[in-house]
Tab-separated table of all heavy atoms in Angstrom:
chain	number	residue	atom	x	y	z
S	29	GLY	N	128.066	158.027	154.438
S	29	GLY	CA	127.894	156.636	154.060
S	29	GLY	C	128.573	156.333	152.733
S	29	GLY	O	129.083	157.229	152.053
S	30	GLY	N	128.580	155.076	152.364
S	30	GLY	CA	129.250	154.622	151.152
S	30	GLY	C	128.752	155.274	149.883
S	30	GLY	O	129.535	155.628	149.003
S	31	ASP	N	127.441	155.460	149.757
S	31	ASP	CA	126.897	156.084	148.548
S	31	ASP	C	127.363	157.529	148.395
S	31	ASP	O	127.647	157.991	147.295
S	31	ASP	CB	125.369	156.025	148.543
S	31	ASP	CG	124.850	154.615	148.342
S	31	ASP	OD1	125.593	153.789	147.775
S	31	ASP	OD2	123.711	154.341	148.746
S	32	LYS	N	127.467	158.252	149.506
S	32	LYS	CA	127.954	159.631	149.436
S	32	LYS	C	129.430	159.677	149.056
S	32	LYS	O	129.855	160.560	148.323
S	32	LYS	CB	127.728	160.359	150.756
S	32	LYS	CG	126.295	160.765	150.956
S	32	LYS	CD	126.149	161.721	152.106
S	32	LYS	CE	124.703	162.167	152.202
S	32	LYS	NZ	124.521	163.214	153.176
S	33	VAL	N	130.195	158.714	149.553
S	33	VAL	CA	131.616	158.644	149.191
S	33	VAL	C	131.748	158.412	147.685
S	33	VAL	O	132.509	159.097	147.004
S	33	VAL	CB	132.348	157.536	149.974
S	33	VAL	CG1	133.743	157.298	149.429
S	33	VAL	CG2	132.407	157.882	151.458
S	34	LEU	N	130.986	157.476	147.153
S	34	LEU	CA	131.037	157.195	145.709
S	34	LEU	C	130.612	158.414	144.894
S	34	LEU	O	131.211	158.718	143.866
S	34	LEU	CB	130.168	155.986	145.370
S	34	LEU	CG	130.712	154.643	145.859
S	34	LEU	CD1	129.656	153.563	145.721
S	34	LEU	CD2	131.984	154.262	145.136
S	35	ALA	N	129.603	159.128	145.349
S	35	ALA	CA	129.155	160.328	144.630
S	35	ALA	C	130.248	161.392	144.621
S	35	ALA	O	130.474	162.050	143.599
S	35	ALA	CB	127.880	160.883	145.266
S	36	ARG	N	130.949	161.573	145.722
S	36	ARG	CA	132.039	162.562	145.783
S	36	ARG	C	133.185	162.157	144.864
S	36	ARG	O	133.779	162.999	144.201
S	36	ARG	CB	132.554	162.725	147.214
S	36	ARG	CG	131.536	163.285	148.172
S	36	ARG	CD	131.168	164.692	147.844
S	36	ARG	NE	132.263	165.578	148.206
S	36	ARG	CZ	132.306	166.859	147.931
S	36	ARG	NH1	131.317	167.418	147.287
S	36	ARG	NH2	133.321	167.594	148.284
S	37	ILE	N	133.484	160.886	144.822
S	37	ILE	CA	134.552	160.392	143.941
S	37	ILE	C	134.180	160.661	142.489
S	37	ILE	O	135.022	161.069	141.689
S	37	ILE	CB	134.797	158.882	144.177
S	37	ILE	CG1	135.353	158.653	145.579
S	37	ILE	CG2	135.715	158.299	143.117
S	37	ILE	CD1	136.594	159.416	145.926
S	38	GLU	N	132.930	160.455	142.130
S	38	GLU	CA	132.471	160.727	140.762
S	38	GLU	C	132.663	162.194	140.411
S	38	GLU	O	133.028	162.534	139.290
S	38	GLU	CB	130.995	160.351	140.615
S	38	GLU	CG	130.730	158.874	140.690
S	38	GLU	CD	129.252	158.565	140.892
S	38	GLU	OE1	128.427	159.500	140.935
S	38	GLU	OE2	128.934	157.377	141.040
S	39	GLU	N	132.424	163.076	141.358
S	39	GLU	CA	132.579	164.508	141.113
S	39	GLU	C	134.024	164.890	140.833
S	39	GLU	O	134.291	165.729	139.976
S	39	GLU	CB	132.091	165.314	142.325
S	39	GLU	CG	130.603	165.316	142.511
S	39	GLU	CD	130.197	166.049	143.776
S	39	GLU	OE1	130.946	166.954	144.204
S	39	GLU	OE2	129.139	165.715	144.325
S	40	PHE	N	134.950	164.298	141.547
S	40	PHE	CA	136.349	164.687	141.422
S	40	PHE	C	137.062	164.048	140.245
S	40	PHE	O	138.006	164.624	139.718
S	40	PHE	CB	137.109	164.365	142.712
S	40	PHE	CG	136.840	165.358	143.782
S	40	PHE	CD1	135.963	165.058	144.803
S	40	PHE	CD2	137.438	166.597	143.771
S	40	PHE	CE1	135.689	165.974	145.792
S	40	PHE	CE2	137.166	167.524	144.755
S	40	PHE	CZ	136.299	167.214	145.768
S	41	GLY	N	136.657	162.864	139.849
S	41	GLY	CA	137.310	162.205	138.728
S	41	GLY	C	138.737	161.784	139.025
S	41	GLY	O	139.582	161.771	138.136
S	42	ILE	N	139.035	161.446	140.265
S	42	ILE	CA	140.381	161.036	140.663
S	42	ILE	C	140.396	159.518	140.813
S	42	ILE	O	139.611	158.965	141.583
S	42	ILE	CB	140.782	161.701	141.995
S	42	ILE	CG1	140.776	163.213	141.859
S	42	ILE	CG2	142.137	161.196	142.468
S	42	ILE	CD1	140.943	163.951	143.167
S	43	PRO	N	141.292	158.814	140.098
S	43	PRO	CA	141.360	157.363	140.270
S	43	PRO	C	141.881	157.006	141.660
S	43	PRO	O	142.775	157.659	142.193
S	43	PRO	CB	142.328	156.899	139.183
S	43	PRO	CG	143.130	158.111	138.847
S	43	PRO	CD	142.270	159.299	139.129
S	44	ILE	N	141.275	155.982	142.243
S	44	ILE	CA	141.692	155.512	143.559
S	44	ILE	C	142.225	154.091	143.410
S	44	ILE	O	141.542	153.207	142.900
S	44	ILE	CB	140.527	155.546	144.560
S	44	ILE	CG1	140.017	156.977	144.701
S	44	ILE	CG2	140.960	154.982	145.913
S	44	ILE	CD1	138.834	157.116	145.613
S	45	TYR	N	143.455	153.914	143.861
S	45	TYR	CA	144.114	152.609	143.868
S	45	TYR	C	144.102	152.107	145.297
S	45	TYR	O	144.587	152.778	146.203
S	45	TYR	CB	145.538	152.722	143.347
S	45	TYR	CG	145.583	153.099	141.893
S	45	TYR	CD1	145.500	154.426	141.491
S	45	TYR	CD2	145.670	152.119	140.910
S	45	TYR	CE1	145.523	154.771	140.155
S	45	TYR	CE2	145.686	152.455	139.569
S	45	TYR	CZ	145.611	153.785	139.198
S	45	TYR	OH	145.625	154.116	137.871
S	46	ILE	N	143.527	150.933	145.503
S	46	ILE	CA	143.358	150.409	146.849
S	46	ILE	C	144.182	149.145	147.011
S	46	ILE	O	144.102	148.228	146.200
S	46	ILE	CB	141.873	150.123	147.133
S	46	ILE	CG1	141.097	151.440	147.079
S	46	ILE	CG2	141.702	149.419	148.472
S	46	ILE	CD1	139.616	151.311	147.168
S	47	VAL	N	144.975	149.121	148.088
S	47	VAL	CA	145.720	147.928	148.481
S	47	VAL	C	145.153	147.513	149.830
S	47	VAL	O	145.335	148.195	150.829
S	47	VAL	CB	147.240	148.192	148.587
S	47	VAL	CG1	147.962	146.919	148.992
S	47	VAL	CG2	147.784	148.755	147.276
S	48	GLN	N	144.423	146.408	149.836
S	48	GLN	CA	143.832	145.897	151.074
S	48	GLN	C	144.722	144.791	151.608
S	48	GLN	O	144.922	143.768	150.976
S	48	GLN	CB	142.418	145.373	150.828
S	48	GLN	CG	141.729	144.919	152.096
S	48	GLN	CD	140.318	144.413	151.846
S	48	GLN	OE1	139.888	144.237	150.710
S	48	GLN	NE2	139.590	144.162	152.918
S	49	TYR	N	145.290	145.023	152.786
S	49	TYR	CA	146.182	144.037	153.381
S	49	TYR	C	145.455	143.243	154.459
S	49	TYR	O	144.419	143.646	154.963
S	49	TYR	CB	147.453	144.693	153.921
S	49	TYR	CG	147.214	145.855	154.863
S	49	TYR	CD1	147.032	145.639	156.229
S	49	TYR	CD2	147.173	147.160	154.394
S	49	TYR	CE1	146.815	146.700	157.083
S	49	TYR	CE2	146.950	148.221	155.246
S	49	TYR	CZ	146.774	147.987	156.603
S	49	TYR	OH	146.557	149.032	157.446
S	50	GLU	N	146.033	142.128	154.787
S	50	GLU	CA	145.401	141.169	155.690
S	50	GLU	C	145.819	141.388	157.140
S	50	GLU	O	146.501	140.575	157.723
S	50	GLU	CB	145.767	139.747	155.268
S	50	GLU	CG	145.371	139.382	153.864
S	50	GLU	CD	143.890	139.180	153.709
S	50	GLU	OE1	143.204	138.871	154.697
S	50	GLU	OE2	143.402	139.344	152.590
S	51	ALA	N	145.425	142.474	157.747
S	51	ALA	CA	145.757	142.723	159.140
S	51	ALA	C	144.804	141.975	160.076
S	51	ALA	O	145.170	141.590	161.152
S	51	ALA	CB	145.725	144.209	159.446
S	52	ARG	N	143.579	141.824	159.667
S	52	ARG	CA	142.565	141.102	160.437
S	52	ARG	C	141.440	140.727	159.487
S	52	ARG	O	141.379	141.198	158.372
S	52	ARG	CB	142.062	141.929	161.600
S	52	ARG	CG	141.461	143.264	161.164
S	52	ARG	CD	140.853	144.000	162.312
S	52	ARG	NE	141.828	144.893	162.899
S	52	ARG	CZ	141.514	145.849	163.733
S	52	ARG	NH1	140.279	146.023	164.091
S	52	ARG	NH2	142.413	146.649	164.235
S	53	SER	N	140.559	139.910	159.966
S	53	SER	CA	139.441	139.542	159.094
S	53	SER	C	138.558	140.756	158.869
S	53	SER	O	138.361	141.579	159.749
S	53	SER	CB	138.644	138.392	159.714
S	53	SER	OG	138.063	138.817	160.916
S	54	CYS	N	138.051	140.861	157.692
S	54	CYS	CA	137.263	142.029	157.317
S	54	CYS	C	135.955	141.552	156.704
S	54	CYS	O	135.943	140.577	155.947
S	54	CYS	CB	138.056	142.842	156.296
S	54	CYS	SG	137.240	144.327	155.767
S	55	PRO	N	134.847	142.209	157.018
S	55	PRO	CA	133.572	141.807	156.411
S	55	PRO	C	133.618	141.891	154.888
S	55	PRO	O	134.218	142.800	154.333
S	55	PRO	CB	132.580	142.831	156.971
S	55	PRO	CG	133.246	143.480	158.131
S	55	PRO	CD	134.720	143.354	157.899
S	56	LYS	N	132.970	140.924	154.236
S	56	LYS	CA	132.947	140.896	152.774
S	56	LYS	C	132.365	142.187	152.201
S	56	LYS	O	132.807	142.671	151.177
S	56	LYS	CB	132.152	139.693	152.281
S	56	LYS	CG	132.142	139.574	150.764
S	56	LYS	CD	131.410	138.353	150.317
S	56	LYS	CE	131.360	138.153	148.832
S	56	LYS	NZ	131.403	139.269	147.971
S	57	SER	N	131.397	142.781	152.894
S	57	SER	CA	130.790	144.013	152.390
S	57	SER	C	131.821	145.137	152.294
S	57	SER	O	131.752	145.975	151.390
S	57	SER	CB	129.620	144.434	153.278
S	57	SER	OG	130.065	144.693	154.594
S	58	SER	N	132.781	145.165	153.217
S	58	SER	CA	133.832	146.184	153.161
S	58	SER	C	134.700	145.975	151.935
S	58	SER	O	135.036	146.923	151.230
S	58	SER	CB	134.698	146.136	154.417
S	58	SER	OG	133.935	146.465	155.552
S	59	THR	N	135.078	144.732	151.682
S	59	THR	CA	135.891	144.424	150.508
S	59	THR	C	135.114	144.748	149.234
S	59	THR	O	135.657	145.344	148.307
S	59	THR	CB	136.321	142.946	150.516
S	59	THR	OG1	137.116	142.718	151.685
S	59	THR	CG2	137.115	142.583	149.274
S	60	ASP	N	133.839	144.399	149.187
S	60	ASP	CA	133.014	144.708	148.015
S	60	ASP	C	132.983	146.216	147.758
S	60	ASP	O	133.069	146.664	146.618
S	60	ASP	CB	131.584	144.187	148.203
S	60	ASP	CG	131.502	142.669	148.185
S	60	ASP	OD1	132.482	142.012	147.773
S	60	ASP	OD2	130.450	142.147	148.606
S	61	PHE	N	132.857	147.002	148.829
S	61	PHE	CA	132.835	148.455	148.675
S	61	PHE	C	134.171	148.964	148.143
S	61	PHE	O	134.208	149.825	147.259
S	61	PHE	CB	132.508	149.142	150.006
S	61	PHE	CG	132.595	150.639	149.923
S	61	PHE	CD1	131.618	151.369	149.259
S	61	PHE	CD2	133.671	151.317	150.468
S	61	PHE	CE1	131.706	152.748	149.157
S	61	PHE	CE2	133.768	152.690	150.375
S	61	PHE	CZ	132.785	153.411	149.719
S	62	LEU	N	135.281	148.439	148.640
S	62	LEU	CA	136.603	148.882	148.177
S	62	LEU	C	136.809	148.542	146.702
S	62	LEU	O	137.349	149.345	145.945
S	62	LEU	CB	137.701	148.253	149.037
S	62	LEU	CG	137.737	148.698	150.494
S	62	LEU	CD1	138.752	147.886	151.275
S	62	LEU	CD2	138.013	150.190	150.610
S	63	VAL	N	136.379	147.360	146.294
S	63	VAL	CA	136.477	146.967	144.883
S	63	VAL	C	135.658	147.916	144.024
S	63	VAL	O	136.109	148.395	142.979
S	63	VAL	CB	136.020	145.500	144.689
S	63	VAL	CG1	135.861	145.159	143.216
S	63	VAL	CG2	136.990	144.544	145.364
S	64	ARG	N	134.460	148.230	144.466
S	64	ARG	CA	133.583	149.150	143.725
S	64	ARG	C	134.176	150.558	143.671
S	64	ARG	O	134.139	151.216	142.628
S	64	ARG	CB	132.208	149.176	144.395
S	64	ARG	CG	131.191	149.980	143.648
S	64	ARG	CD	129.829	149.849	144.276
S	64	ARG	NE	128.944	150.837	143.685
S	64	ARG	CZ	127.873	151.302	144.254
S	64	ARG	NH1	127.511	150.870	145.443
S	64	ARG	NH2	127.132	152.204	143.659
S	65	LEU	N	134.726	151.024	144.778
S	65	LEU	CA	135.341	152.344	144.844
S	65	LEU	C	136.489	152.455	143.844
S	65	LEU	O	136.575	153.422	143.090
S	65	LEU	CB	135.842	152.601	146.265
S	65	LEU	CG	136.467	153.943	146.577
S	65	LEU	CD1	135.478	155.074	146.357
S	65	LEU	CD2	136.968	153.948	148.019
S	66	ALA	N	137.347	151.450	143.808
S	66	ALA	CA	138.461	151.459	142.857
S	66	ALA	C	137.949	151.415	141.422
S	66	ALA	O	138.366	152.209	140.574
S	66	ALA	CB	139.394	150.288	143.125
S	67	SER	N	137.029	150.521	141.148
S	67	SER	CA	136.517	150.352	139.789
S	67	SER	C	135.810	151.599	139.272
S	67	SER	O	136.076	152.067	138.165
S	67	SER	CB	135.566	149.157	139.766
S	67	SER	OG	134.956	149.030	138.514
S	68	GLU	N	134.904	152.152	140.065
S	68	GLU	CA	134.119	153.295	139.601
S	68	GLU	C	134.937	154.570	139.483
S	68	GLU	O	134.565	155.480	138.764
S	68	GLU	CB	132.911	153.509	140.510
S	68	GLU	CG	131.888	152.400	140.340
S	68	GLU	CD	130.588	152.647	141.072
S	68	GLU	OE1	130.330	153.788	141.490
S	68	GLU	OE2	129.828	151.677	141.217
S	69	SER	N	136.072	154.615	140.169
S	69	SER	CA	136.924	155.806	140.078
S	69	SER	C	137.922	155.709	138.922
S	69	SER	O	138.582	156.687	138.601
S	69	SER	CB	137.686	156.006	141.390
S	69	SER	OG	138.689	155.031	141.541
S	70	GLY	N	138.035	154.523	138.318
S	70	GLY	CA	139.016	154.325	137.255
S	70	GLY	C	140.349	153.812	137.773
S	70	GLY	O	141.320	153.708	137.040
S	71	GLY	N	140.391	153.485	139.054
S	71	GLY	CA	141.607	152.938	139.660
S	71	GLY	C	141.602	151.420	139.635
S	71	GLY	O	140.923	150.811	138.803
S	72	ARG	N	142.326	150.826	140.574
S	72	ARG	CA	142.406	149.365	140.658
S	72	ARG	C	142.399	148.930	142.112
S	72	ARG	O	142.804	149.682	143.000
S	72	ARG	CB	143.677	148.842	140.006
S	72	ARG	CG	143.692	149.020	138.515
S	72	ARG	CD	144.973	148.542	137.907
S	72	ARG	NE	145.049	147.093	137.906
S	72	ARG	CZ	146.109	146.415	137.476
S	72	ARG	NH1	147.167	147.052	137.032
S	72	ARG	NH2	146.118	145.111	137.494
S	73	TYR	N	141.985	147.705	142.329
S	73	TYR	CA	141.963	147.094	143.656
S	73	TYR	C	142.999	145.981	143.695
S	73	TYR	O	143.091	145.189	142.761
S	73	TYR	CB	140.570	146.530	143.944
S	73	TYR	CG	140.521	145.658	145.172
S	73	TYR	CD1	140.329	146.209	146.431
S	73	TYR	CD2	140.685	144.281	145.074
S	73	TYR	CE1	140.293	145.412	147.560
S	73	TYR	CE2	140.653	143.478	146.197
S	73	TYR	CZ	140.466	144.045	147.434
S	73	TYR	OH	140.441	143.252	148.547
Side-chain angles (χ1 to χ4, degrees):
D31 290 336
K32 284 192 176 187
V33 170
L34 289 169
R36 296 294 287 173
I37 294 305
E38 291 166 2
E39 288 176 27
F40 283 102
I42 299 171
I44 300 177
Y45 294 84
I46 297 173
V47 180
Q48 184 179 9
Y49 53 87
E50 301 287 336
R52 58 174 92 166
S53 64
C54 181
K56 182 177 180 331
S57 61
S58 296
T59 298
D60 291 346
F61 175 73
L62 294 173
V63 169
R64 186 174 169 203
L65 183 61
S67 175
E68 290 188 15
S69 72
R72 292 178 73 183
Y73 169 86

